[in-house]
Amino acid sequence: MNKINHDQLLSLEHPFIKIPVEKLKSSLRTSQKHIEKEIANLTDKVTEISKKSSQGSMDPTQVEAALDNIVNRLSTLKRKLKDTRADEALYSQRTKVRLQHLQDFTSISTLDSDEFAKWSRIRLNRIVIDYLLREGFRDTASLLAKSERIEDLVDIELFAQSAKVEQALMRQSCTECLQWCKENNSSLKKIRSTLEFSLREQEFIELARVGRSEEAIEYARKHLTPWKDTHMKEIRHVMALLIYGPKTKCYPYKRLYDKSRWNDLIALFRSNNFALQFFTPEPLLNVTLQAGLAALKTPMCYQPDNRNIYCPVCDPETLGALATDLPLSHHFNSSIVCRISGQIMNEDNLPMALPNGYVYSFNALTEMASLNNGKITCPRTSLVYDVSQMKKVFIS
C-alpha cells in the first residue's frame, strides 16, 4: 500500500530535466557559431594579408594595422566565448544536480519513509516557486529558493528575462518584444508563431490611433507586406483603420483599437516563451493538483447530499472549482467512504446500516455512541437511534 510508483511521479518531471539540457545545447550551438564565423573570417583575412604582402601591395604599417584588427576580433570572440562558457557551466551544473535529485527519488521505496518526506518537501518548494514566478512574485520566489538551498532546482533567471519583455508590453511598447522575436526567429518559425505579426499589427494600430496615416502606410509596406501570404485577411482588416478612427462604433474596428489587445499580446508572448523554454503551459502547481483531483473525482462529488467533508473535490468553493473540467476517475474497485469519519469502510471497519437506511462505518458509530450514552444521531436526518439498532451490511 505504501509502495511508491516511481514512473507515475517522474512522468511530471520531464521539463525539470529538459530545460537545463536544452539551454546547455543552445549555449553550445551559440559558441560553435561564434567560433565558426570568426575562424572563417580570420582565415580569409590572413590569406588576404599574406597574398597582398607577397605582392608588395601592403607596406609593413598596413600589415601591422590588419594584424591588430585580427587581434581585436579575437579578443571580442574571447569575451563572447567567456559569456557562453559561464552559461554552459551553469546549465551543466543544474543538469547534474537535477539528475541526482531524481536519482535520490528512485532509491526511495516507501511513502512513509523520512527520505520520501524530505524529497517531497523539496519538490513542493519547486512547484510553489514555479507558481510564484509565473504570477510575478520573483523576489519571494528567490528568497524561498535561497532559504531552501534549491537555486539549481529552479529557473528564476529565465523568468527574470521574460519579465522585462512583459513589463515593456504593459507600458505599451513593442520594441523589446520585437527584439526578442529577432533573437529567437528560427525557434519561433519552428512553432509557427504569429507573435511578430501581432506586434507589427499593434504598432500599425497605434499609428492609426494618433492619426499618423502616412507613417502607418509606410510602416505597413515595410513590416506588414512580408506577411501577405499568410495574413492577408488580417492586413486588409487592420488597414481599414485608416478610415475608421479610434472613436468608431463599428465593432470589428472598435475591437482593434481596444487597449485590452496589449493583454492579449502579453499572453501570446508568455505562451511562446514557455514553448521555447520548455516550460509547461500551466503552472506545475495546477498540473500536480489536477492530477491528484482527477484521481479523486467521482459523480458523488457534485451531488450536494452525498458530498464528503474530507474530499477536496467535494468543496465547490476551493479545489472543487479547479476540478470542474477534469474527467472522472476510473476505478476498477469501488471504495465506500464513511460520511462521518472520512475513513474507508472495509473488513477492519465494517459498514453499518441504521434503521433509516443510511450507512456509516462501525468505528465512527461506536465512537459516537460512547460519547452519547449509547445513542447515535444520523448526521443526515438527525434521527436518534440506540447503538444496538445498527446492523452489518454485506456488499456482494
Side-chain angles (χ1 to χ4, degrees):
M1 189 70 178
N2 288 325
K3 188 176 180 180
I4 297 176
N5 188 324
H6 295 95
D7 291 340
Q8 286 186 355
L9 208 155
L10 289 176
S11 65
L12 296 173
E13 299 293 349
H14 182 250
F16 181 59
I17 295 297
K18 191 170 182 63
I19 290 171
V21 169
E22 290 297 332
K23 295 299 291 184
L24 176 59
K25 288 166 63 177
S26 175
S27 183
L28 290 171
R29 285 195 296 268
T30 300
S31 296
Q32 185 177 3
K33 287 179 181 178
H34 287 323
I35 293 172
E36 290 177 350
K37 179 181 178 181
E38 290 302 325
I39 291 298
N41 182 275
L42 293 175
T43 300
D44 292 342
K45 288 290 185 182
V46 169
T47 301
E48 181 184 358
I49 293 171
S50 177
K51 183 178 180 180
K52 289 184 177 181
S53 179
S54 62
Q55 293 175 348
S57 57
M58 289 184 72
D59 58 39
T61 303
Q62 292 175 319
V63 171
E64 183 179 358
L67 291 175
D68 286 341
N69 183 52
I70 290 176
V71 171
N72 290 334
R73 290 185 68 94
L74 287 172
S75 297
T76 302
L77 174 61
K78 182 179 179 180
R79 287 194 298 271
K80 291 180 178 179
L81 292 178
K82 185 178 180 180
D83 293 337
T84 56
R85 287 288 184 269
D87 288 340
E88 290 169 20
L90 172 65
Y91 291 112
S92 295
Q93 169 68 12
R94 286 195 176 173
T95 303
K96 180 180 178 181
V97 171
R98 295 184 185 194
L99 286 172
Q100 184 59 52
H101 178 64
L102 296 183
Q103 181 62 38
D104 292 342
F105 170 67
T106 59
S107 64
I108 302 171
S109 57
T110 59
L111 294 170
D112 56 2
S113 64
D114 293 339
E115 292 79 7
F116 181 71
K118 180 180 178 181
W119 189 89
S120 296
R121 176 182 173 83
I122 294 174
R123 182 169 182 270
L124 177 60
N125 285 328
R126 288 197 293 112
I127 291 173
V128 171
I129 288 171
D130 173 80
Y131 185 81
L132 290 172
L133 289 170
R134 291 172 187 257
E135 294 299 314
F137 300 103
R138 293 193 309 280
D139 292 341
T140 304
S142 298
L143 288 172
L144 179 56
K146 186 175 181 180
S147 65
E148 295 294 329
R149 299 181 181 179
I150 56 172
E151 291 95 331
D152 284 332
L153 301 181
V154 292
D155 300 287
I156 294 174
E157 75 287 341
L158 298 182
F159 282 93
Q161 294 167 9
S162 63
K164 295 178 181 178
V165 177
E166 290 187 21
Q167 289 169 1
L169 291 174
M170 290 178 185
R171 298 193 303 270
Q172 301 182 8
S173 169
C174 295
T175 305
E176 290 81 355
C177 197
L178 285 169
Q179 179 61 33
W180 182 85
C181 290
K182 181 179 179 180
E183 294 171 357
N184 296 277
N185 183 51
S186 60
S187 298
L188 289 171
K189 285 182 179 178
K190 290 179 182 178
I191 63 173
R192 299 182 180 180
S193 170
T194 60
L195 176 60
E196 183 178 353
F197 173 77
S198 297
L199 292 167
R200 296 298 186 187
E201 187 180 35
Q202 188 62 39
E203 289 201 324
F204 177 91
I205 291 170
E206 296 306 317
L207 290 172
R209 189 193 303 276
V210 294
R212 294 159 62 178
S213 300
E214 293 184 3
E215 288 183 48
I217 293 171
E218 186 62 32
Y219 185 91
R221 287 173 178 166
K222 183 177 180 180
H223 296 295
L224 296 183
T225 302
W227 298 87
K228 65 180 184 300
D229 293 338
T230 55
H231 293 80
M232 179 54 75
K233 181 179 179 180
E234 291 87 344
I235 293 173
R236 288 173 175 170
H237 194 186
V238 79
M239 290 299 293
L241 296 183
L242 296 174
I243 300 173
Y244 292 91
K247 294 183 179 180
T248 181
K249 301 297 183 180
C250 187
Y251 178 76
Y253 307 108
K254 181 180 180 181
R255 172 69 183 90
L256 288 174
Y257 280 119
D258 197 324
K259 291 290 187 179
S260 66
R261 281 179 54 88
W262 288 101
N263 294 329
D264 297 338
L265 287 174
I266 292 172
L268 182 58
F269 163 72
R270 186 174 295 182
S271 174
N272 283 205
N273 182 52
F274 286 169
L276 264 57
Q277 304 290 1
F278 303 98
F279 288 114
T280 55
E282 288 285 324
L284 290 174
L285 182 61
N286 288 12
V287 173
T288 307
L289 282 174
Q290 288 173 350
L293 293 172
L296 296 173
K297 185 178 177 181
T298 69
M300 307 293 283
C301 294
Y302 294 91
Q303 298 176 12
D305 293 336
N306 293 309
R307 287 174 177 164
N308 190 310
I309 60 173
Y310 298 97
C311 173
V313 184
C314 287
D315 188 347
E317 301 299 326
T318 55
L319 295 178
L322 188 60
T324 302
D325 297 325
L326 298 178
L328 297 173
S329 59
H330 178 66
H331 296 284
F332 290 103
N333 298 306
S334 298
S335 296
I336 306 176
V337 180
C338 177
R339 187 177 181 85
I340 298 174
S341 65
Q343 296 177 348
I344 294 176
M345 290 183 272
N346 51 30
E347 64 276 7
D348 297 319
N349 187 22
L350 294 172
M352 307 296 292
L354 296 179
N356 61 2
Y358 287 107
V359 177
Y360 305 99
S361 69
F362 176 82
N363 292 344
L365 292 178
T366 52
E367 182 180 357
M368 183 187 296
S370 67
L371 298 174
N372 295 280
N373 298 317
K375 300 298 181 181
I376 298 170
T377 302
C378 178
R380 297 189 183 186
T381 63
S382 299
L383 295 175
V384 180
Y385 301 101
D386 189 82
V387 69
S388 62
Q389 292 178 273
M390 65 180 185
K391 296 180 179 180
K392 293 180 183 179
V393 175
F394 297 92
I395 301 173
S396 59

